[in-house]
Amino acid sequence: MATQAHLEPAGTLASRLIATRKLTLDLAAPLSDADATIQPFPDASPAKWHLAHTTWFFETFVLRDHVLGYRAFDERYAFLFNSYYEAEGPRHARPRRGMLSRPSLDEVRDYRAFVDEALERALPGLPPALIELVELGINHEQQHQELFLTDMLATLAENPIEPAYGELPAAACCAIESLSWHRGREGIVEIGASDGGFAFDAERPRHRMFLPRHEIAARRVTNREWRDFIDDGGYKRPALWLSDGWAWMQEQGIAAPLYWHGDGTEFTLGGRREIDWAAAVAHVSHYEADAFARWAGARLPTEAEWEDFASSSDPALGNQLDEAGPVVPSAGGGMFGDVWEWTQSAFTQYPGFAPAEGAVGEYNGKFMSGQIVLKGASCATPRGHSRASYRNFFPPAARWQFTGVRLARDA
Ligand SMILES: [Fe+2]
């Protein structure tokens, strides 16, 4: 994964497009066609599908719609690689993405090269209004780079011989053992992305929120604290759990974070390793995060509390791209890195929300039901993809992403 350090988030649109497209290919470099074809479960996608779908996104919304005379690489790919855009017509069933032995990984690479060439040719002549679409395509591909890694982790974890994806950097240094608390701001604050600079539609408009007196933990919950929770019967005490969470846990037989084994080891992209007890806990669901917080005599932060703290404690992070990302995890205490942090906030529309126009209006808005907001970034988030206003979201039972916990409490 060392190649990711070369990605330069600044620079022209063209250079960022090329770097982003190249990073996806680099991520796939260690994979065989078979590695890239497996779909470990219906919500995860094969690596090959991520490579092709991100390409389809550019081909469809930029080249097909706006470049005169563009001819699709293969007309059949629209059916295979449309993810969820109803406006783009019928598509291959999501749970069956792992059934596609063809096109091969090499054919998908050819598809990427074809579209990249057309994009690079078209870019200088694109009207300013289309720049936003290219920007969206870059950010979309970055999201899929993270999904690529989390889906590969799930894929390799299925294999009893436990193959490693590659060497990873050492876990974040979490020397900060005792938990301290920051006083959050009380009163009316502004959250959401301001105008100017890229943000997804769901991050806008910027608006006012009232924050009660509260405190927010200075660091994320560690593996050691999670082990204490388990040892204290955390997964066996219904009073700690939301009803849906308790039912989910019973049904799924959940008793520890996703990739933990009972012997003090965990499966990672680098293979099976001893659990680093001082590192941030990862791969827990919202249900587990919520139960842990209750056990700890605290609660999960709201997205407004989280965002206001992140941007007011370091104003440079307000709406700016930061340096969070793979290769250089944060030191455990920062707001960006290691793991995404579950909030207690449902992913719903901000006051005055307007989805983007056209098919890409389906990007976020239609998922505003049954999803919980996560803030921050993870060790798998590409550099330059993070900001305080960012709203990641997953259903409360999801835990194959790099998801962890930061506590908050009333004060
Ligand atoms: Fe997508």
Side-chain angles (χ1 to χ4, degrees):
M1 292 176 65
T3 47
Q4 292 172 42
H6 301 311
L7 178 60
E8 172 54 63
T12 65
L13 186 74
S15 67
R16 283 187 298 113
L17 173 67
I18 292 165
T20 303
R21 298 285 291 164
K22 178 177 182 305
L23 176 57
T24 307
L25 281 182
D26 289 346
L27 290 174
L31 305 185
S32 69
D33 199 324
D35 291 333
T37 300
I38 290 178
Q39 180 173 29
F41 61 97
D43 283 344
S45 297
K48 197 165 68 178
W49 187 91
H50 287 297
L51 263 62
H53 161 72
T54 47
T55 305
W56 167 84
F57 190 95
F58 281 114
E59 181 178 57
T60 303
F61 299 127
V62 178
L63 298 175
R64 181 202 67 185
D65 286 355
H66 301 285
V67 175
L68 206 63
Y70 177 78
R71 290 192 53 178
F73 177 79
D74 186 324
E75 296 285 352
R76 302 168 301 175
Y77 284 8
F79 183 82
L80 290 183
F81 301 124
N82 172 7
S83 52
Y84 53 66
Y85 295 88
E86 299 290 347
E88 290 298 326
R91 71 211 73 99
H92 189 232
R94 178 176 185 137
R96 304 188 68 76
R97 287 175 187 167
M99 301 298 177
L100 305 178
S101 61
R102 313 290 173 84
S104 68
L105 181 55
D106 278 343
E107 286 168 326
V108 168
R109 287 196 180 105
D110 290 345
Y111 177 36
R112 290 184 66 89
F114 180 88
V115 166
D116 284 348
E117 251 185 63
L119 275 174
E120 284 173 44
R121 260 200 319 273
L123 216 52
L126 288 182
L130 276 187
I131 299 304
E132 263 177 54
L133 264 180
V134 175
E135 195 71 69
L136 181 66
I138 291 172
N139 281 268
H140 171 252
E141 183 137 354
Q142 290 180 317
Q143 290 186 314
H144 277 278
Q145 287 165 351
E146 174 147 9
L147 293 169
F148 174 104
L149 290 171
T150 53
D151 294 355
M152 272 318 296
L153 176 56
T155 294
L156 297 172
E158 284 294 323
N159 189 334
I161 68 169
E162 301 184 324
Y165 165 78
E167 275 309 304
L168 291 179
C173 161
C174 291
I176 323 153
E177 264 306 296
S178 67
L179 179 58
S180 61
W181 297 82
H182 294 298
R183 172 60 62 90
R185 292 203 297 177
E186 180 187 6
I188 292 172
V189 303
E190 282 196 355
I191 67 159
S194 46
D195 295 337
F198 178 83
F200 290 108
D201 55 5
E203 296 168 54
R204 295 194 165 112
R206 192 163 169 85
H207 61 283
R208 288 180 296 171
M209 289 285 292
F210 177 77
L211 299 188
R213 280 171 66 90
H214 69 283
E215 293 181 327
I216 191 158
R219 62 158 172 77
R220 289 171 273 279
V221 168
T222 63
N223 285 321
R224 179 172 289 114
E225 290 163 333
W226 205 272
R227 186 180 61 188
D228 292 345
F229 170 66
I230 295 173
D231 291 347
D232 197 37
Y235 284 92
K236 296 177 181 147
R237 292 159 56 180
L240 296 175
W241 291 76
L242 295 169
S243 174
D244 284 353
W246 182 253
W248 163 82
M249 197 229 328
Q250 303 275 298
E251 192 186 296
Q252 303 287 322
I254 306 286
L258 178 57
Y259 295 118
W260 282 23
H261 290 259
D263 58 356
T265 64
E266 63 179 338
F267 188 70
T268 72
L269 281 167
R272 182 96 81 96
R273 297 203 173 159
E274 298 282 321
I275 294 174
D276 176 354
W277 298 108
V281 71
H283 303 295
V284 294
S285 67
H286 175 262
Y287 292 135
E288 291 165 281
D290 177 82
F292 179 95
R294 196 164 293 108
W295 171 77
R299 60 174 174 77
L300 298 177
T302 64
E303 65 173 322
E305 288 168 345
W306 195 102
E307 182 172 331
D308 185 62
F309 181 75
S311 46
S312 63
S313 60
D314 186 351
L317 292 178
N319 283 300
Q320 305 298 315
L321 300 176
D322 75 293
E323 290 298 312
V327 182
V328 193
S330 78
M335 298 297 275
F336 297 87
D338 299 347
V339 291
W340 289 94
E341 301 177 13
W342 286 107
T343 70
Q344 59 168 274
S345 302
F347 182 57
T348 57
Q349 59 183 23
Y350 284 164
F353 167 70
E357 279 180 29
V360 293
E362 295 184 45
Y363 202 109
N364 290 303
K366 73 180 188 179
F367 297 108
M368 290 174 172
S369 171
Q371 312 268 346
I372 307 289
V373 172
L374 298 108
K375 300 292 278 184
S378 86
C379 58
T381 309
R383 286 173 176 236
H385 189 68
S386 314
R387 53 190 170 269
S389 63
Y390 200 101
R391 306 174 80 196
N392 197 356
F393 59 89
F394 277 92
R399 58 190 209 141
W400 87 104
Q401 299 302 301
F402 291 95
T403 47
V405 190
R406 180 186 302 272
L407 298 174
R409 64 186 183 190
D410 301 326

